Amino acid sequence: MARSFSMKGVQGAADRAVQHARAWLLETEPGSRVHDVQSDPRFQHRGVDLLWELPSGEVRGIEVKGDRNATRRRYFFELVSNLEKDTPGCFLYSGADLLVYVFLSQGEMHVLPLKAARDWFLPRARSYPLKHAFTQTGAIRYTTVGAVVSTRDVSEGVPNVLKIPLKRATPLPAKEEEAPPVESREPPSPEENVATAAPAETGAPEASDTKPVRKRKPRRTQAKGGAEGTSTAE
């Protein structure tokens, strides 16, 4: 049975999936950077959503899929992205290194080496049923076709598949342009913490400047002829 989706719902799931994927990538490789290229035309036709820049300088392409089905233990490998226009699905043409498949309702994320998963699937494609999904964008409706594949089959046939429990995600920023760069979201180093707390940053006076000045009492002296006088201490 074909399923229908609204573009708003699809995009919301995609945003949450990307958020989980980014958090996991940064945690897995401390010091790495993640660049969102979903809107970059140079990467859209390559099927790459994120660029993962490792501390070594190596850059890996990441494709992210978000699945909202609460009971599904199967992947939807997209074979045709738009049936009406006869365009291939990203599972076939993506140049990404990793496919991050996020089961949002189940709270689990799977990381698949994409080329290995594709090489395993293609000779077995006829063994898996095809499903049609309809997406509505305003007045335009298009059909996506994909193979429904058991996660167990993939885990048993493809090496190095990871399954990671999801952590609670932080809210998305209200506007993309107001969001800080990815690298600034990482926790500051101890040296940066010290610099932030330095008195020069806050304008606080040094400790020696805060001691109260004690006033010295006038010192009485004996003048010649027995008269008393005062001399003020310096």
Side-chain angles (χ1 to χ4, degrees), residues 159-174:
N160 302 320
V161 173
L162 302 177
K163 297 182 180 181
I164 303 108
L166 293 182
K167 293 184 177 180
R168 185 174 181 179
T170 54
L172 288 171

Side-chain angles (χ1 to χ4, degrees), residues 65 72 75 132 134 173 187 189 201:
K65 292 294 181 184
R72 179 180 293 163
Y75 301 119
H132 293 66
F134 303 107
S189 64
E201 298 267 342

Side-chain angles (χ1 to χ4, degrees), residues 97-99 111-118 158-162:
D97 299 286
L98 299 175
L99 169 60
V111 181
L112 288 64
L114 182 53
K115 184 179 184 304
R118 188 161 50 213
V158 180
N160 302 320
V161 173
L162 302 177

Side-chain angles (χ1 to χ4, degrees), residues 42 58 62 65 103 133 153 174 181 187 201 216:
R42 295 174 298 174
E58 178 187 356
I62 312 296
K65 292 294 181 184
F103 292 96
D153 290 356
E201 298 267 342
R216 297 172 60 183

